[in-house]
Amino acid sequence: MHSRGLLSIGNDTAVTPAGKEAPKFNVLSGTSMACPHVSGIAATVKSQNPTWSPSAIRSAIMTTATRTNNLKTPITTDSSSIATPYDYGAGEVTVTGPLHPGLVYETDTIDYLSYLCYYGFDTSKLKTIARTAPIGFACPKDSKADYISNIDYPSIAISKFIGKESRKVTNVAGDGEVVFTAIVDTPRGLSVKVIPDKLHFSMNNQKLSYQMVFSSTTSVPKEDMFGSLTWSNGKYKVRSPVVVSV
Protein backbone atom coordinates (compact mmCIF):
# COMPACT_ATOMS: atom_id res chain seq x y z
CA MET A 1 0.00 0.00 0.00
CA HIS A 2 1.06 3.52 -0.63
CA SER A 3 0.46 6.75 1.24
CA ARG A 4 1.59 10.31 0.97
CA GLY A 5 1.52 13.01 3.59
CA LEU A 6 2.69 16.35 4.85
CA LEU A 7 5.57 16.30 7.28
CA SER A 8 6.31 19.28 9.49
CA ILE A 9 9.97 20.21 9.31
CA GLY A 10 12.14 22.70 11.12
CA ASN A 11 13.79 25.58 9.33
CA ASP A 12 17.20 24.03 9.93
CA THR A 13 16.36 20.99 7.76
CA ALA A 14 14.46 22.72 4.98
CA VAL A 15 16.08 23.18 1.59
CA THR A 16 15.42 26.86 0.99
CA PRO A 17 16.04 28.64 -2.34
CA ALA A 18 18.11 31.81 -2.09
CA GLY A 19 15.99 34.78 -1.09
CA LYS A 20 13.04 32.63 -0.01
CA GLU A 21 11.65 31.92 3.46
CA ALA A 22 12.09 28.36 4.71
CA PRO A 23 8.92 26.25 4.23
CA LYS A 24 7.06 24.88 7.25
CA PHE A 25 5.95 21.69 5.50
CA ASN A 26 7.35 19.31 2.91
CA VAL A 27 5.69 16.57 0.86
CA LEU A 28 7.27 13.16 1.38
CA SER A 29 6.38 9.73 -0.01
CA GLY A 30 7.44 6.28 1.12
CA THR A 31 7.12 3.73 3.91
CA SER A 32 7.97 6.27 6.63
CA MET A 33 4.93 8.29 5.61
CA ALA A 34 2.74 5.27 4.81
CA CYS A 35 3.16 3.63 8.23
CA PRO A 36 1.50 6.30 10.44
CA HIS A 37 -1.24 6.99 7.90
CA VAL A 38 -2.15 3.33 7.42
CA SER A 39 -1.93 2.69 11.17
CA GLY A 40 -4.40 5.50 11.79
CA ILE A 41 -6.79 4.13 9.18
CA ALA A 42 -6.50 0.61 10.62
CA ALA A 43 -7.30 1.93 14.10
CA THR A 44 -10.34 3.79 12.76
CA VAL A 45 -11.63 0.69 10.97
CA LYS A 46 -11.14 -1.40 14.13
CA SER A 47 -13.03 1.15 16.23
CA GLN A 48 -16.00 0.94 13.85
CA ASN A 49 -15.78 -2.84 13.42
CA PRO A 50 -14.40 -4.21 16.71
CA THR A 51 -14.95 -7.88 15.78
CA TRP A 52 -12.94 -7.70 12.54
CA SER A 53 -9.66 -9.62 12.39
CA PRO A 54 -6.38 -7.96 11.35
CA SER A 55 -6.63 -9.65 7.95
CA ALA A 56 -10.15 -8.31 7.39
CA ILE A 57 -8.94 -4.79 8.20
CA ARG A 58 -5.97 -5.20 5.85
CA SER A 59 -8.33 -6.41 3.13
CA ALA A 60 -10.65 -3.42 3.62
CA ILE A 61 -7.73 -1.03 3.24
CA MET A 62 -6.26 -2.78 0.19
CA THR A 63 -9.45 -3.39 -1.81
CA THR A 64 -10.62 0.24 -1.48
CA ALA A 65 -7.26 1.78 -2.42
CA THR A 66 -7.11 3.94 -5.55
CA ARG A 67 -4.72 3.97 -8.50
CA THR A 68 -5.34 7.61 -9.37
CA ASN A 69 -4.01 10.82 -7.85
CA ASN A 70 -5.90 13.95 -6.80
CA LEU A 71 -6.03 15.03 -10.47
CA LYS A 72 -7.86 11.78 -11.34
CA THR A 73 -4.93 10.64 -13.47
CA PRO A 74 -2.87 7.45 -12.97
CA ILE A 75 -0.31 7.48 -10.16
CA THR A 76 3.19 7.87 -11.56
CA THR A 77 6.68 7.01 -10.36
CA ASP A 78 9.41 9.53 -9.55
CA SER A 79 10.51 9.25 -13.19
CA SER A 80 6.95 10.14 -14.35
CA SER A 81 6.20 6.69 -15.79
CA ILE A 82 2.84 5.05 -15.04
CA ALA A 83 3.14 3.20 -11.72
CA THR A 84 2.32 -0.50 -11.35
CA PRO A 85 1.54 -2.75 -8.36
CA TYR A 86 5.30 -3.18 -8.02
CA ASP A 87 5.40 0.52 -7.11
CA TYR A 88 2.23 1.06 -5.07
CA GLY A 89 0.96 -2.41 -4.10
CA ALA A 90 -2.84 -2.25 -4.06
CA GLY A 91 -2.83 1.52 -4.55
CA GLU A 92 -3.04 4.70 -2.51
CA VAL A 93 -5.12 4.26 0.63
CA THR A 94 -8.33 6.20 1.24
CA VAL A 95 -9.68 7.37 4.57
CA THR A 96 -13.37 6.48 4.32
CA GLY A 97 -13.34 3.55 1.87
CA PRO A 98 -12.03 0.92 4.34
CA LEU A 99 -14.92 1.66 6.71
CA HIS A 100 -17.36 0.16 4.17
CA PRO A 101 -15.48 -2.28 1.90
CA GLY A 102 -18.46 -4.47 0.93
CA LEU A 103 -16.44 -7.71 0.93
CA VAL A 104 -13.32 -8.78 2.81
CA TYR A 105 -10.72 -11.51 2.35
CA GLU A 106 -9.77 -13.19 5.63
CA THR A 107 -6.46 -14.99 5.97
CA ASP A 108 -6.87 -17.36 8.92
CA THR A 109 -4.46 -19.13 11.29
CA ILE A 110 -4.36 -22.32 9.22
CA ASP A 111 -3.37 -20.32 6.13
CA TYR A 112 -0.38 -18.85 7.93
CA LEU A 113 0.67 -22.14 9.52
CA SER A 114 0.45 -23.94 6.18
CA TYR A 115 2.52 -21.18 4.60
CA LEU A 116 5.24 -21.80 7.20
CA CYS A 117 5.04 -25.57 6.55
CA TYR A 118 6.09 -25.02 2.97
CA TYR A 119 9.15 -23.08 4.11
CA GLY A 120 10.50 -25.90 6.23
CA PHE A 121 9.00 -25.31 9.68
CA ASP A 122 8.19 -28.59 11.43
CA THR A 123 5.37 -29.22 13.92
CA SER A 124 7.43 -28.42 17.03
CA LYS A 125 8.55 -25.07 15.63
CA LEU A 126 4.99 -24.22 14.60
CA LYS A 127 3.76 -24.90 18.14
CA THR A 128 6.41 -22.50 19.46
CA ILE A 129 5.44 -19.80 16.99
CA ALA A 130 1.66 -20.23 17.25
CA ARG A 131 0.61 -21.25 20.73
CA THR A 132 -3.03 -21.13 19.65
CA ALA A 133 -2.57 -23.50 16.67
CA PRO A 134 -5.65 -25.65 16.05
CA ILE A 135 -5.54 -29.04 17.78
CA GLY A 136 -4.48 -31.77 15.38
CA PHE A 137 -3.13 -29.39 12.74
CA ALA A 138 -0.93 -31.07 10.13
CA CYS A 139 0.90 -29.59 7.16
CA PRO A 140 -1.09 -29.88 3.90
CA LYS A 141 -0.03 -32.42 1.30
CA ASP A 142 -0.86 -30.37 -1.81
CA SER A 143 1.95 -28.61 -3.65
CA LYS A 144 3.66 -25.55 -2.26
CA ALA A 145 2.92 -23.36 -5.28
CA ASP A 146 -0.77 -24.31 -5.41
CA TYR A 147 -1.43 -23.73 -1.73
CA ILE A 148 0.47 -20.47 -1.31
CA SER A 149 -1.13 -18.91 -4.37
CA ASN A 150 -4.62 -19.79 -3.10
CA ILE A 151 -4.39 -18.27 0.36
CA ASP A 152 -7.30 -15.86 0.95
CA TYR A 153 -5.27 -12.72 0.37
CA PRO A 154 -6.70 -9.59 -1.34
CA SER A 155 -4.24 -9.63 -4.25
CA ILE A 156 -3.63 -12.20 -6.98
CA ALA A 157 -0.27 -13.25 -8.42
CA ILE A 158 0.43 -15.98 -10.93
CA SER A 159 3.44 -17.16 -12.92
CA LYS A 160 3.93 -19.11 -16.14
CA PHE A 161 0.78 -17.45 -17.60
CA ILE A 162 -1.40 -20.50 -17.18
CA GLY A 163 -3.05 -21.53 -13.94
CA LYS A 164 -5.86 -20.87 -11.52
CA GLU A 165 -6.39 -19.03 -8.27
CA SER A 166 -9.07 -19.73 -5.66
CA ARG A 167 -10.35 -17.23 -3.13
CA LYS A 168 -13.06 -16.89 -0.49
CA VAL A 169 -14.72 -13.58 0.41
CA THR A 170 -16.99 -12.54 3.28
CA ASN A 171 -19.99 -10.29 2.79
CA VAL A 172 -19.78 -7.30 5.15
CA ALA A 173 -22.08 -5.04 3.13
CA GLY A 174 -24.77 -5.27 5.81
CA ASP A 175 -27.44 -5.23 3.12
CA GLY A 176 -28.85 -8.73 3.59
CA GLU A 177 -29.32 -10.29 0.17
CA VAL A 178 -26.84 -8.82 -2.31
CA VAL A 179 -25.23 -9.81 -5.62
CA PHE A 180 -21.66 -8.91 -6.62
CA THR A 181 -20.54 -9.16 -10.26
CA ALA A 182 -16.96 -9.77 -11.39
CA ILE A 183 -15.29 -7.10 -13.52
CA VAL A 184 -11.89 -8.11 -14.91
CA ASP A 185 -9.20 -5.80 -16.26
CA THR A 186 -7.46 -8.56 -18.18
CA PRO A 187 -3.67 -8.43 -18.60
CA ARG A 188 -2.65 -8.12 -22.24
CA GLY A 189 -2.19 -11.45 -24.01
CA LEU A 190 -4.18 -13.47 -21.49
CA SER A 191 -7.65 -14.86 -21.15
CA VAL A 192 -9.16 -14.75 -17.66
CA LYS A 193 -12.35 -16.50 -16.61
CA VAL A 194 -14.00 -16.01 -13.21
CA ILE A 195 -16.08 -18.93 -11.92
CA PRO A 196 -18.72 -18.03 -10.89
CA ASP A 197 -18.83 -14.50 -12.29
CA LYS A 198 -21.60 -13.53 -9.84
CA LEU A 199 -21.64 -14.02 -6.08
CA HIS A 200 -25.14 -14.23 -4.56
CA PHE A 201 -25.08 -13.52 -0.82
CA SER A 202 -28.24 -14.15 1.18
CA MET A 203 -27.03 -12.68 4.47
CA ASN A 204 -24.33 -10.58 6.06
CA ASN A 205 -21.07 -12.35 7.07
CA GLN A 206 -21.75 -15.15 4.59
CA LYS A 207 -18.66 -16.56 2.87
CA LEU A 208 -18.54 -17.56 -0.81
CA SER A 209 -15.71 -18.89 -2.99
CA TYR A 210 -14.67 -18.19 -6.56
CA GLN A 211 -11.90 -19.19 -8.93
CA MET A 212 -9.92 -17.32 -11.58
CA VAL A 213 -8.62 -19.37 -14.51
CA PHE A 214 -5.77 -17.92 -16.59
CA SER A 215 -4.73 -19.01 -20.08
CA SER A 216 -2.45 -17.51 -22.71
CA THR A 217 -3.87 -16.15 -25.98
CA THR A 218 -0.54 -15.23 -27.57
CA SER A 219 3.10 -16.25 -27.52
CA VAL A 220 4.94 -16.06 -24.20
CA PRO A 221 5.16 -12.37 -23.16
CA LYS A 222 8.56 -10.86 -22.42
CA GLU A 223 7.56 -8.77 -19.45
CA ASP A 224 5.32 -8.97 -16.38
CA MET A 225 1.69 -8.00 -16.89
CA PHE A 226 -0.83 -6.27 -14.65
CA GLY A 227 -4.59 -6.19 -14.31
CA SER A 228 -7.28 -6.36 -11.66
CA LEU A 229 -10.42 -8.12 -10.48
CA THR A 230 -13.23 -6.00 -9.06
CA TRP A 231 -16.37 -7.34 -7.42
CA SER A 232 -19.11 -4.72 -7.67
CA ASN A 233 -22.78 -4.43 -6.84
CA GLY A 234 -23.07 -0.79 -7.89
CA LYS A 235 -22.61 0.50 -4.34
CA TYR A 236 -19.34 -1.23 -3.48
CA LYS A 237 -16.26 -1.86 -5.61
CA VAL A 238 -13.90 -4.47 -4.14
CA ARG A 239 -10.71 -4.39 -6.20
CA SER A 240 -7.76 -6.80 -6.11
CA PRO A 241 -4.60 -6.19 -8.16
CA VAL A 242 -3.57 -9.00 -10.50
CA VAL A 243 0.08 -9.59 -11.43
CA VAL A 244 1.22 -12.17 -13.97
CA SER A 245 4.97 -12.75 -13.77
CA VAL A 246 7.31 -14.09 -16.43
Side-chain angles (χ1 to χ4, degrees), residues 128-195:
T128 300
I129 295 172
R131 297 178 181 177
T132 58
I135 296 175
F137 171 80
C139 289
K141 296 181 180 180
D142 41 341
S143 73
K144 171 181 175 180
D146 286 343
Y147 189 86
I148 290 178
S149 66
N150 290 320
I151 287 176
D152 287 320
Y153 193 81
S155 65
I156 296 167
I158 193 168
S159 61
K160 299 181 181 179
F161 311 105
I162 299 176
K164 56 187 177 182
E165 296 267 331
S166 298
R167 292 289 189 277
K168 185 185 298 179
V169 287
T170 303
N171 175 31
V172 293
D175 296 332
E177 187 172 353
V178 63
V179 178
F180 282 82
T181 301
I183 303 171
V184 182
D185 176 11
T186 305
R188 184 183 68 258
L190 290 183
S191 173
V192 179
K193 187 175 183 180
V194 182
I195 306 171

Side-chain angles (χ1 to χ4, degrees), residues 46-143:
K46 183 67 173 179
S47 70
Q48 297 297 312
N49 302 279
T51 63
W52 282 15
S53 65
S55 63
I57 294 172
R58 175 186 59 201
S59 174
I61 295 173
M62 290 178 63
T63 59
T64 57
T66 178
R67 294 174 294 168
T68 57
N69 57 29
N70 59 347
L71 300 177
K72 305 302 180 182
T73 58
I75 295 173
T76 58
T77 65
D78 291 340
S79 60
S80 298
S81 62
I82 300 297
T84 73
Y86 289 161
D87 302 301
Y88 55 53
E92 189 166 285
V93 299
T94 65
V95 176
T96 58
L99 296 174
H100 305 284
L103 303 174
V104 292
Y105 295 81
E106 294 191 85
T107 313
D108 59 25
T109 300
I110 292 179
D111 282 328
Y112 288 117
L113 292 177
S114 299
Y115 182 88
L116 293 175
C117 284
Y118 291 121
Y119 279 93
F121 289 83
D122 57 28
T123 304
S124 62
K125 291 180 180 178
L126 290 177
K127 289 182 178 179
T128 300
I129 295 172
R131 297 178 181 177
T132 58
I135 296 175
F137 171 80
C139 289
K141 296 181 180 180
D142 41 341
S143 73

Side-chain angles (χ1 to χ4, degrees), residues 27-47:
V27 177
L28 297 178
S29 178
T31 53
S32 295
M33 285 293 94
C35 184
H37 285 77
V38 173
S39 296
I41 293 173
T44 302
V45 175
K46 183 67 173 179
S47 70

